[in-house]
Amino acid sequence: MNALAQPIVPADEVSATDDVLIHVRFAPNADIFTIDRLPEGQSGKAWFEHLYANASSCYRTFANGRGFFRIPASVFATL
């Protein structure tokens, strides 16, 4: 292993303090195309607005109409 390599942690050793990643893809007209962990019965727009209102500091924008939330698991549990 070189100095930059990181060992892969088995899934059963991942702690509950890991971050929750929620990926968002936008359509060209800025509507939500897809969003992860969408609660049943809720629209993509409503879910995005709820996440953004409560965890905007965890949101990052990517190019090509994409973005993601990296929310600490403890914070996500309260959402």
Side-chain angles (χ1 to χ4, degrees):
M1 223 181 329
N2 65 27
L4 299 177
Q6 297 292 324
I8 297 173
V9 177
D12 60 339
E13 293 182 22
V14 176
S15 69
T17 61
D18 289 332
D19 294 341
V20 175
L21 296 177
I22 300 177
H23 296 268
V24 184
R25 293 190 64 190
F26 296 93
N29 65 356
D31 286 340
I32 303 293
F33 185 67
T34 61
I35 187 167
D36 293 342
R37 297 186 180 242
L38 180 63
E40 190 173 325
Q42 192 168 21
S43 72
K45 181 179 180 182
W47 180 231
F48 176 82
E49 289 174 349
H50 176 74
L51 291 172
Y52 197 79
N54 294 293
S56 62
S57 64
C58 300
Y59 182 72
R60 299 293 177 259
T61 304
F62 282 159
N64 297 324
R66 297 176 298 137
F68 76 96
F69 289 91
R70 181 182 298 266
I71 305 171
S74 61
V75 174
F76 185 74
T78 63
L79 295 175

